[in-house]
Amino acid sequence: MGEVIVITSGKGGVGKTTTTANLGTGIALQGKKVVLVDADIGLRNLDVVMGLENRIVYDLVDVTEGNCRLKQALIRDKRYETLYLLPAAQTRDKNAVSPDQMQQLCKDLAEEFDYVIIDCPAGIEQGFKNAIAGADRAIIVTTPEVSAVRDADRIIGLLESEGKHNPRLIINRIRPLMVKKGDMMDIDDIIEILAVDLIGIIPEDEYIVISTNRGEPAVANNSAMASTAYRNIVRRVMGENVPLMTFETNESLWGKFKKVLGF
Amino acid sequence: MREDVVFKGSKGGLELVINQSVDFALILEQLKEKLESAAQFFAGSTGVRIISGTNRLNGDERHQLISLLADYGLTLQEYPEIEPSTPEFEQAADLPADDIPVELCQEAEGGRTLLVSRVLRGGQKIVFQGSVIINGDVNPGAEVIASGNITVQGTCRGIAHAGINGDKTASITADKLMASQLRIAGLIARAPDKQDEPTCREVARIVNGSVIIEPA
């Protein structure tokens, strides 16, 4: 029985879809069987980021409505054999699926796959409720901005009220120079407010923009900083104990993070 | 003069009542006179429904009637002999509200064509029994589904499905055919992962069991 992980944030544009794509690809690179589920019905993006848009025939709503079998809707990634995508419907809305249906879907997928990773839509309405319904654990993505942290806090509260405790946190798009100058929220400020375990920090990296537009997740690239950060998160998700990253090019800046986090 | 042809106004629009026992040529003549004498009256209305009792008209007579009405700017709607039910209109009612602003018109051949004069954006979907002409682009994530042909007077980047009822002769034409998927009858062709911009108008159709694209 595989594990169902939901990637959520509350706020839009913080990097849920990018994180889902990179985490999933990274885990698949470790030889595990992974399925990515796009729960953002009506505003699907994960297929584009994965470069699989032109392969979609059936989608999640077709599965829950019984128009096709689950296996027919799963799209195998063009690069990695053990990676699959269940795309969202584009011409429907969030109400086309119920939390009960999502729960069943996640259960079915978890029997086939080692990891089921769900890309949650922004917001706290129906789409959010659907996305978290079948999840065993949650990973919250936030950026070092007051508004994103505020929304992350709200999400953690909502997850708790659904009985999903101890979510993990990813802080995305951090800019070490700005933090150093005191222009950006510090990691320990964020942790202090949210009081959850940090599972990774992703630096702001132009390569993410390039890889997203190409439809090739950055994690497979060996040189980019953000790729290394994602690979580390992958190992942590899979249970390895990996120290929080340091970047050779930015050693002095990241030394501060290391100190803060006790590494 | 006896009134063998009568126009009636009803909630649904104009209705044409024809006396079945009279020779068709006579009916046409009377209809022509009526239309001629009241051309001003008919100028504003576009649709005419023929009510019961016209089943005995043969195909040729029907065509004469249609063309006569057309001369005065009128179209024949809901012809029970040709279309026992009107699935087109039911289909149109099923579309989401934002997909509604479309025009319906009738081809001379008897097939129906839907003309859509706007850009079809991601998440918008048009389903139509007949052919569809899009006067605008079809953006990624949009779907056009038709039982007949699909023509895009613009760039087609979404999904186009022609011949949905199994018509393998259906075709998909676009000024720039860059669809993420082309489906004709039961066949699906997907775009290559690296797609070049086409340099001319192209048409996709089934040849020897596979979907091919060639300059239109």
Side-chain angles (χ1 to χ4, degrees):
Chain A
M1 194 75 179
E3 196 173 8
V4 184
I5 305 171
V6 62
I7 313 290
T8 181
S9 72
K11 193 175 179 300
V14 296
K16 290 177 293 296
T17 303
T18 310
T19 300
T20 307
N22 281 289
L23 221 55
T25 307
I27 296 173
L29 278 168
Q30 304 287 318
K32 297 284 182 190
K33 241 186 136 188
V34 185
V35 60
L36 309 178
V37 180
D38 192 347
D40 204 346
I41 299 164
L43 279 175
R44 70 179 181 204
N45 283 148
L46 190 53
D47 55 315
V48 181
V49 172
M50 295 297 295
L52 299 173
E53 187 187 15
N54 55 14
R55 288 163 170 77
I56 298 174
V57 177
Y58 295 112
D59 56 50
L60 192 152
V61 177
D62 286 321
V63 175
T64 56
E65 288 185 348
N67 299 335
C68 72
R69 283 174 287 115
L70 180 54
K71 282 211 166 127
Q72 288 177 295
L74 292 174
I75 300 168
R76 190 165 76 189
D77 188 82
K78 55 188 174 191
R79 293 153 295 234
Y80 311 108
E81 288 246 315
T82 58
L83 182 59
Y84 288 78
L85 169 72
L86 180 58
Q90 182 72 335
T91 55
R92 304 294 294 272
D93 64 36
K94 313 294 193 235
N95 300 321
V97 180
S98 73
D100 287 345
Q101 287 173 320
M102 280 299 283
Q103 219 159 4
Q104 185 59 45
L105 183 72
C106 292
K107 221 175 118 191
D108 295 344
L109 287 169
E111 278 172 19
E112 284 280 318
F113 293 89
D114 299 319
Y115 288 90
V116 180
I117 303 180
I118 302 167
D119 184 18
C120 179
I124 55 172
E125 295 82 15
Q126 184 73 30
F128 169 75
K129 287 172 191 154
N130 288 340
I132 66 163
D136 301 320
R137 57 171 165 153
I139 293 177
I140 317 271
V141 183
T142 190
T143 55
E145 290 163 59
V146 184
S147 54
V149 173
R150 193 68 59 84
D151 289 1
D153 187 56
R154 175 97 173 96
I155 289 293
I156 295 167
L158 289 170
L159 285 166
E160 275 170 4
S161 66
E162 291 287 325
K164 298 181 196 302
H165 298 280
N166 298 324
R168 299 301 158 98
L169 182 72
I170 291 176
I171 302 175
N172 195 11
R173 307 189 70 167
I174 203 142
R175 295 166 74 164
L177 272 173
M178 286 187 73
V179 176
K180 196 184 180 192
K181 279 197 272 176
D183 293 335
M184 185 175 261
M185 280 180 95
D186 208 336
I187 287 173
D188 58 347
D189 297 341
I190 298 169
I191 300 289
E192 196 184 305
I193 296 166
L194 297 180
V196 289
D197 291 337
L198 191 65
I199 200 169
I201 315 157
I202 320 280
E204 174 88 42
D205 190 338
E206 285 180 3
Y207 187 71
I208 291 291
V209 179
I210 298 168
S211 70
T212 303
N213 288 343
R214 277 193 199 151
E216 296 165 359
V219 72
N221 179 296
N222 281 321
S223 57
M225 279 200 297
S227 311
T228 314
Y230 274 122
R231 275 199 296 278
N232 287 346
I233 295 174
V234 165
R235 289 162 69 189
R236 288 184 203 114
V237 167
M238 292 174 72
E240 246 182 276
N241 198 353
V242 187
L244 279 159
M245 71 186 304
T246 57
F247 295 107
E248 283 137 36
T249 49
N250 276 332
E251 207 158 338
S252 59
L253 299 167
W254 283 91
K256 191 184 172 194
F257 297 152
K258 282 197 293 176
K259 207 178 82 200
V260 163
L261 297 159
F263 285 106
Chain B
M1 195 181 89
R2 264 177 50 226
E3 295 242 313
D4 294 315
V5 179
V6 179
F7 274 104
K8 282 187 174 172
S10 77
K11 246 195 261 175
L14 276 179
E15 282 176 358
L16 185 61
V17 186
I18 297 170
N19 184 349
Q20 292 288 302
S21 56
V22 182
D23 184 32
F24 184 72
L26 210 70
I27 286 181
L28 270 187
E29 207 176 289
Q30 287 195 21
L31 179 61
K32 193 164 187 226
E33 271 175 33
K34 243 186 213 321
L35 289 167
E36 196 63 59
S37 64
Q40 285 299 315
F41 173 75
F42 293 113
S45 50
T46 52
V48 174
R49 290 192 301 144
I50 290 198
I51 57 164
S52 62
T54 54
N55 294 359
R56 267 179 269 162
L57 298 182
N58 64 36
D60 194 42
E61 291 170 336
R62 228 177 270 135
H63 278 295
Q64 287 185 47
L65 195 66
I66 289 170
S67 66
L68 180 62
L69 287 169
D71 287 343
Y72 292 89
L74 299 172
T75 28
L76 201 57
Q77 292 176 347
E78 280 187 38
Y79 208 86
E81 270 284 278
I82 299 168
E83 294 283 342
S85 68
T86 52
E88 296 78 7
F89 295 102
E90 284 157 29
Q91 286 280 10
D94 284 341
L95 294 176
D98 61 345
D99 281 344
I100 292 296
V102 291
E103 291 172 41
L104 284 170
C105 66
Q106 207 164 17
E107 264 184 357
E109 301 287 294
R112 287 173 188 274
T113 301
L114 179 72
L115 179 65
V116 182
S117 293
R118 68 197 164 96
V119 175
L120 214 56
R121 300 185 186 278
Q124 293 178 330
K125 187 176 180 177
I126 285 189
V127 184
F128 188 70
Q129 294 292 330
S131 294
V132 176
I133 298 173
I134 313 274
N135 241 331
D137 296 341
V138 177
N139 282 355
E143 288 179 43
V144 184
I145 297 168
S147 65
N149 301 329
I150 295 171
T151 307
V152 180
Q153 317 273 24
T155 306
C156 180
R157 289 192 174 89
I159 294 175
H161 192 166
I164 188 150
N165 298 336
D167 180 4
K168 288 182 178 169
T169 62
S171 66
I172 301 165
T173 312
D175 287 353
K176 278 188 185 169
L177 193 54
M178 302 171 75
S180 61
Q181 262 179 28
L182 293 171
R183 307 178 189 172
I184 300 176
L187 291 180
I188 298 180
R190 71 169 168 79
D193 288 320
K194 294 238 184 323
Q195 202 173 10
D196 295 326
E197 203 162 295
T199 51
C200 67
R201 188 175 165 87
E202 290 176 317
V203 58
R205 58 167 67 95
I206 296 180
V207 175
N208 296 330
S210 53
V211 177
I212 63 140
I213 297 174
E214 56 193 6

